[in-house]
Amino acid sequence: MTWNELKQKIIAEYNSKNLKSTTRYNAIDKVETLIKRYYPKTITEVKELSNIDKQYLKEQYIQQKKEISVEQKIA
């Protein structure tokens, strides 16, 4: 399964819940950016994500959010 296939399944699940906020949709895009940046191999083979430590992935995500925040303040 590719990342895009998984992403479409996640979006379909969110759509079925009639979410009022786009926060979860935005988070998918941010996770995708993280994956492309640090784990490009997982874009074509999602099962590679299971080899990544969940806590480490969370830490990278938090770091990425901080970097984006700084970039937005500078711009």
Side-chain angles (χ1 to χ4, degrees), residues 22-36:
T22 61
T23 302
R24 291 184 184 184
Y25 295 97
N26 296 338
I28 294 172
D29 292 334
K30 291 175 183 174
V31 168
E32 181 176 22
T33 300
L34 175 83
I35 290 172
K36 284 180 177 178

mmCIF file with all atom_site columns, all heavy atoms in Angstrom, residues 22-36:
data_model
loop_
_atom_site.group_PDB
_atom_site.id
_atom_site.type_symbol
_atom_site.label_atom_id
_atom_site.label_alt_id
_atom_site.label_comp_id
_atom_site.label_asym_id
_atom_site.label_entity_id
_atom_site.label_seq_id
_atom_site.pdbx_PDB_ins_code
_atom_site.Cartn_x
_atom_site.Cartn_y
_atom_site.Cartn_z
_atom_site.occupancy
_atom_site.B_iso_or_equiv
_atom_site.pdbx_formal_charge
_atom_site.auth_seq_id
_atom_site.auth_comp_id
_atom_site.auth_asym_id
_atom_site.auth_atom_id
_atom_site.pdbx_PDB_model_num
ATOM 1   N N   . THR A 1 22 ? -11.435 21.053 10.434 1.00 0.00 ? 22 THR A N   1
ATOM 2   C CA  . THR A 1 22 ? -10.484 20.511 9.462  1.00 0.00 ? 22 THR A CA  1
ATOM 3   C C   . THR A 1 22 ? -9.144  20.150 10.108 1.00 0.00 ? 22 THR A C   1
ATOM 4   O O   . THR A 1 22 ? -8.206  19.798 9.413  1.00 0.00 ? 22 THR A O   1
ATOM 5   C CB  . THR A 1 22 ? -10.218 21.539 8.341  1.00 0.00 ? 22 THR A CB  1
ATOM 6   O OG1 . THR A 1 22 ? -9.662  22.725 8.922  1.00 0.00 ? 22 THR A OG1 1
ATOM 7   C CG2 . THR A 1 22 ? -11.475 21.860 7.571  1.00 0.00 ? 22 THR A CG2 1
ATOM 8   N N   . THR A 1 23 ? -9.077  20.197 11.421 1.00 0.00 ? 23 THR A N   1
ATOM 9   C CA  . THR A 1 23 ? -7.829  19.951 12.135 1.00 0.00 ? 23 THR A CA  1
ATOM 10  C C   . THR A 1 23 ? -7.216  18.603 11.769 1.00 0.00 ? 23 THR A C   1
ATOM 11  O O   . THR A 1 23 ? -6.019  18.512 11.516 1.00 0.00 ? 23 THR A O   1
ATOM 12  C CB  . THR A 1 23 ? -8.049  20.024 13.659 1.00 0.00 ? 23 THR A CB  1
ATOM 13  O OG1 . THR A 1 23 ? -8.569  21.316 13.966 1.00 0.00 ? 23 THR A OG1 1
ATOM 14  C CG2 . THR A 1 23 ? -6.776  19.800 14.418 1.00 0.00 ? 23 THR A CG2 1
ATOM 15  N N   . ARG A 1 24 ? -8.014  17.572 11.745 1.00 0.00 ? 24 ARG A N   1
ATOM 16  C CA  . ARG A 1 24 ? -7.486  16.234 11.432 1.00 0.00 ? 24 ARG A CA  1
ATOM 17  C C   . ARG A 1 24 ? -7.000  16.152 9.994  1.00 0.00 ? 24 ARG A C   1
ATOM 18  O O   . ARG A 1 24 ? -6.001  15.509 9.709  1.00 0.00 ? 24 ARG A O   1
ATOM 19  C CB  . ARG A 1 24 ? -8.529  15.162 11.704 1.00 0.00 ? 24 ARG A CB  1
ATOM 20  C CG  . ARG A 1 24 ? -8.811  15.000 13.171 1.00 0.00 ? 24 ARG A CG  1
ATOM 21  C CD  . ARG A 1 24 ? -9.754  13.877 13.426 1.00 0.00 ? 24 ARG A CD  1
ATOM 22  N NE  . ARG A 1 24 ? -10.082 13.808 14.837 1.00 0.00 ? 24 ARG A NE  1
ATOM 23  C CZ  . ARG A 1 24 ? -10.834 12.883 15.367 1.00 0.00 ? 24 ARG A CZ  1
ATOM 24  N NH1 . ARG A 1 24 ? -11.345 11.930 14.613 1.00 0.00 ? 24 ARG A NH1 1
ATOM 25  N NH2 . ARG A 1 24 ? -11.090 12.892 16.656 1.00 0.00 ? 24 ARG A NH2 1
ATOM 26  N N   . TYR A 1 25 ? -7.709  16.804 9.097  1.00 0.00 ? 25 TYR A N   1
ATOM 27  C CA  . TYR A 1 25 ? -7.273  16.815 7.699  1.00 0.00 ? 25 TYR A CA  1
ATOM 28  C C   . TYR A 1 25 ? -5.926  17.540 7.570  1.00 0.00 ? 25 TYR A C   1
ATOM 29  O O   . TYR A 1 25 ? -5.046  17.096 6.842  1.00 0.00 ? 25 TYR A O   1
ATOM 30  C CB  . TYR A 1 25 ? -8.318  17.496 6.811  1.00 0.00 ? 25 TYR A CB  1
ATOM 31  C CG  . TYR A 1 25 ? -9.632  16.768 6.722  1.00 0.00 ? 25 TYR A CG  1
ATOM 32  C CD1 . TYR A 1 25 ? -10.706 17.128 7.528  1.00 0.00 ? 25 TYR A CD1 1
ATOM 33  C CD2 . TYR A 1 25 ? -9.810  15.723 5.824  1.00 0.00 ? 25 TYR A CD2 1
ATOM 34  C CE1 . TYR A 1 25 ? -11.926 16.464 7.442  1.00 0.00 ? 25 TYR A CE1 1
ATOM 35  C CE2 . TYR A 1 25 ? -11.028 15.051 5.725  1.00 0.00 ? 25 TYR A CE2 1
ATOM 36  C CZ  . TYR A 1 25 ? -12.076 15.432 6.544  1.00 0.00 ? 25 TYR A CZ  1
ATOM 37  O OH  . TYR A 1 25 ? -13.269 14.774 6.453  1.00 0.00 ? 25 TYR A OH  1
ATOM 38  N N   . ASN A 1 26 ? -5.798  18.650 8.268  1.00 0.00 ? 26 ASN A N   1
ATOM 39  C CA  . ASN A 1 26 ? -4.542  19.400 8.241  1.00 0.00 ? 26 ASN A CA  1
ATOM 40  C C   . ASN A 1 26 ? -3.408  18.574 8.836  1.00 0.00 ? 26 ASN A C   1
ATOM 41  O O   . ASN A 1 26 ? -2.276  18.635 8.358  1.00 0.00 ? 26 ASN A O   1
ATOM 42  C CB  . ASN A 1 26 ? -4.682  20.714 9.005  1.00 0.00 ? 26 ASN A CB  1
ATOM 43  C CG  . ASN A 1 26 ? -5.674  21.647 8.357  1.00 0.00 ? 26 ASN A CG  1
ATOM 44  O OD1 . ASN A 1 26 ? -5.970  21.548 7.173  1.00 0.00 ? 26 ASN A OD1 1
ATOM 45  N ND2 . ASN A 1 26 ? -6.217  22.559 9.138  1.00 0.00 ? 26 ASN A ND2 1
ATOM 46  N N   . ALA A 1 27 ? -3.712  17.809 9.868  1.00 0.00 ? 27 ALA A N   1
ATOM 47  C CA  . ALA A 1 27 ? -2.690  16.975 10.507 1.00 0.00 ? 27 ALA A CA  1
ATOM 48  C C   . ALA A 1 27 ? -2.172  15.911 9.539  1.00 0.00 ? 27 ALA A C   1
ATOM 49  O O   . ALA A 1 27 ? -0.980  15.608 9.539  1.00 0.00 ? 27 ALA A O   1
ATOM 50  C CB  . ALA A 1 27 ? -3.250  16.326 11.764 1.00 0.00 ? 27 ALA A CB  1
ATOM 51  N N   . ILE A 1 28 ? -3.047  15.375 8.711  1.00 0.00 ? 28 ILE A N   1
ATOM 52  C CA  . ILE A 1 28 ? -2.613  14.385 7.724  1.00 0.00 ? 28 ILE A CA  1
ATOM 53  C C   . ILE A 1 28 ? -1.558  14.997 6.817  1.00 0.00 ? 28 ILE A C   1
ATOM 54  O O   . ILE A 1 28 ? -0.534  14.379 6.518  1.00 0.00 ? 28 ILE A O   1
ATOM 55  C CB  . ILE A 1 28 ? -3.794  13.873 6.880  1.00 0.00 ? 28 ILE A CB  1
ATOM 56  C CG1 . ILE A 1 28 ? -4.765  13.086 7.738  1.00 0.00 ? 28 ILE A CG1 1
ATOM 57  C CG2 . ILE A 1 28 ? -3.299  13.003 5.728  1.00 0.00 ? 28 ILE A CG2 1
ATOM 58  C CD1 . ILE A 1 28 ? -6.038  12.722 7.021  1.00 0.00 ? 28 ILE A CD1 1
ATOM 59  N N   . ASP A 1 29 ? -1.792  16.232 6.356  1.00 0.00 ? 29 ASP A N   1
ATOM 60  C CA  . ASP A 1 29 ? -0.834  16.901 5.482  1.00 0.00 ? 29 ASP A CA  1
ATOM 61  C C   . ASP A 1 29 ? 0.494   17.136 6.190  1.00 0.00 ? 29 ASP A C   1
ATOM 62  O O   . ASP A 1 29 ? 1.563   16.991 5.597  1.00 0.00 ? 29 ASP A O   1
ATOM 63  C CB  . ASP A 1 29 ? -1.409  18.225 4.975  1.00 0.00 ? 29 ASP A CB  1
ATOM 64  C CG  . ASP A 1 29 ? -2.575  18.017 4.022  1.00 0.00 ? 29 ASP A CG  1
ATOM 65  O OD1 . ASP A 1 29 ? -2.640  16.952 3.363  1.00 0.00 ? 29 ASP A OD1 1
ATOM 66  O OD2 . ASP A 1 29 ? -3.422  18.926 3.939  1.00 0.00 ? 29 ASP A OD2 1
ATOM 67  N N   . LYS A 1 30 ? 0.430   17.471 7.467  1.00 0.00 ? 30 LYS A N   1
ATOM 68  C CA  . LYS A 1 30 ? 1.655   17.704 8.229  1.00 0.00 ? 30 LYS A CA  1
ATOM 69  C C   . LYS A 1 30 ? 2.427   16.410 8.444  1.00 0.00 ? 30 LYS A C   1
ATOM 70  O O   . LYS A 1 30 ? 3.657   16.390 8.357  1.00 0.00 ? 30 LYS A O   1
ATOM 71  C CB  . LYS A 1 30 ? 1.340   18.367 9.566  1.00 0.00 ? 30 LYS A CB  1
ATOM 72  C CG  . LYS A 1 30 ? 0.845   19.790 9.392  1.00 0.00 ? 30 LYS A CG  1
ATOM 73  C CD  . LYS A 1 30 ? 0.418   20.402 10.699 1.00 0.00 ? 30 LYS A CD  1
ATOM 74  C CE  . LYS A 1 30 ? -0.139  21.795 10.479 1.00 0.00 ? 30 LYS A CE  1
ATOM 75  N NZ  . LYS A 1 30 ? -0.691  22.363 11.701 1.00 0.00 ? 30 LYS A NZ  1
ATOM 76  N N   . VAL A 1 31 ? 1.714   15.334 8.693  1.00 0.00 ? 31 VAL A N   1
ATOM 77  C CA  . VAL A 1 31 ? 2.370   14.031 8.835  1.00 0.00 ? 31 VAL A CA  1
ATOM 78  C C   . VAL A 1 31 ? 2.991   13.629 7.505  1.00 0.00 ? 31 VAL A C   1
ATOM 79  O O   . VAL A 1 31 ? 4.109   13.105 7.467  1.00 0.00 ? 31 VAL A O   1
ATOM 80  C CB  . VAL A 1 31 ? 1.372   12.959 9.334  1.00 0.00 ? 31 VAL A CB  1
ATOM 81  C CG1 . VAL A 1 31 ? 1.957   11.559 9.210  1.00 0.00 ? 31 VAL A CG1 1
ATOM 82  C CG2 . VAL A 1 31 ? 0.958   13.244 10.765 1.00 0.00 ? 31 VAL A CG2 1
ATOM 83  N N   . GLU A 1 32 ? 2.299   13.900 6.430  1.00 0.00 ? 32 GLU A N   1
ATOM 84  C CA  . GLU A 1 32 ? 2.832   13.582 5.103  1.00 0.00 ? 32 GLU A CA  1
ATOM 85  C C   . GLU A 1 32 ? 4.130   14.344 4.847  1.00 0.00 ? 32 GLU A C   1
ATOM 86  O O   . GLU A 1 32 ? 5.098   13.779 4.329  1.00 0.00 ? 32 GLU A O   1
ATOM 87  C CB  . GLU A 1 32 ? 1.803   13.905 4.025  1.00 0.00 ? 32 GLU A CB  1
ATOM 88  C CG  . GLU A 1 32 ? 2.279   13.569 2.626  1.00 0.00 ? 32 GLU A CG  1
ATOM 89  C CD  . GLU A 1 32 ? 1.204   13.798 1.587  1.00 0.00 ? 32 GLU A CD  1
ATOM 90  O OE1 . GLU A 1 32 ? 0.254   14.588 1.830  1.00 0.00 ? 32 GLU A OE1 1
ATOM 91  O OE2 . GLU A 1 32 ? 1.314   13.175 0.525  1.00 0.00 ? 32 GLU A OE2 1
ATOM 92  N N   . THR A 1 33 ? 4.167   15.600 5.225  1.00 0.00 ? 33 THR A N   1
ATOM 93  C CA  . THR A 1 33 ? 5.389   16.398 5.067  1.00 0.00 ? 33 THR A CA  1
ATOM 94  C C   . THR A 1 33 ? 6.533   15.777 5.864  1.00 0.00 ? 33 THR A C   1
ATOM 95  O O   . THR A 1 33 ? 7.651   15.653 5.362  1.00 0.00 ? 33 THR A O   1
ATOM 96  C CB  . THR A 1 33 ? 5.139   17.847 5.534  1.00 0.00 ? 33 THR A CB  1
ATOM 97  O OG1 . THR A 1 33 ? 4.102   18.411 4.743  1.00 0.00 ? 33 THR A OG1 1
ATOM 98  C CG2 . THR A 1 33 ? 6.397   18.685 5.408  1.00 0.00 ? 33 THR A CG2 1
ATOM 99  N N   . LEU A 1 34 ? 6.240   15.369 7.079  1.00 0.00 ? 34 LEU A N   1
ATOM 100 C CA  . LEU A 1 34 ? 7.244   14.736 7.932  1.00 0.00 ? 34 LEU A CA  1
ATOM 101 C C   . LEU A 1 34 ? 7.753   13.449 7.297  1.00 0.00 ? 34 LEU A C   1
ATOM 102 O O   . LEU A 1 34 ? 8.959   13.212 7.227  1.00 0.00 ? 34 LEU A O   1
ATOM 103 C CB  . LEU A 1 34 ? 6.650   14.434 9.309  1.00 0.00 ? 34 LEU A CB  1
ATOM 104 C CG  . LEU A 1 34 ? 7.555   13.659 10.254 1.00 0.00 ? 34 LEU A CG  1
ATOM 105 C CD1 . LEU A 1 34 ? 8.520   14.614 10.947 1.00 0.00 ? 34 LEU A CD1 1
ATOM 106 C CD2 . LEU A 1 34 ? 6.754   12.894 11.267 1.00 0.00 ? 34 LEU A CD2 1
ATOM 107 N N   . ILE A 1 35 ? 6.836   12.634 6.824  1.00 0.00 ? 35 ILE A N   1
ATOM 108 C CA  . ILE A 1 35 ? 7.220   11.358 6.229  1.00 0.00 ? 35 ILE A CA  1
ATOM 109 C C   . ILE A 1 35 ? 8.074   11.577 4.989  1.00 0.00 ? 35 ILE A C   1
ATOM 110 O O   . ILE A 1 35 ? 9.096   10.916 4.800  1.00 0.00 ? 35 ILE A O   1
ATOM 111 C CB  . ILE A 1 35 ? 5.963   10.523 5.911  1.00 0.00 ? 35 ILE A CB  1
ATOM 112 C CG1 . ILE A 1 35 ? 5.317   10.047 7.210  1.00 0.00 ? 35 ILE A CG1 1
ATOM 113 C CG2 . ILE A 1 35 ? 6.301   9.333  5.021  1.00 0.00 ? 35 ILE A CG2 1
ATOM 114 C CD1 . ILE A 1 35 ? 3.974   9.394  7.018  1.00 0.00 ? 35 ILE A CD1 1
ATOM 115 N N   . LYS A 1 36 ? 7.664   12.494 4.133  1.00 0.00 ? 36 LYS A N   1
ATOM 116 C CA  . LYS A 1 36 ? 8.444   12.768 2.925  1.00 0.00 ? 36 LYS A CA  1
ATOM 117 C C   . LYS A 1 36 ? 9.840   13.268 3.268  1.00 0.00 ? 36 LYS A C   1
ATOM 118 O O   . LYS A 1 36 ? 10.804  12.951 2.578  1.00 0.00 ? 36 LYS A O   1
ATOM 119 C CB  . LYS A 1 36 ? 7.720   13.794 2.053  1.00 0.00 ? 36 LYS A CB  1
ATOM 120 C CG  . LYS A 1 36 ? 6.552   13.226 1.305  1.00 0.00 ? 36 LYS A CG  1
ATOM 121 C CD  . LYS A 1 36 ? 5.884   14.288 0.456  1.00 0.00 ? 36 LYS A CD  1
ATOM 122 C CE  . LYS A 1 36 ? 4.749   13.715 -0.346 1.00 0.00 ? 36 LYS A CE  1
ATOM 123 N NZ  . LYS A 1 36 ? 4.052   14.728 -1.155 1.00 0.00 ? 36 LYS A NZ  1
#
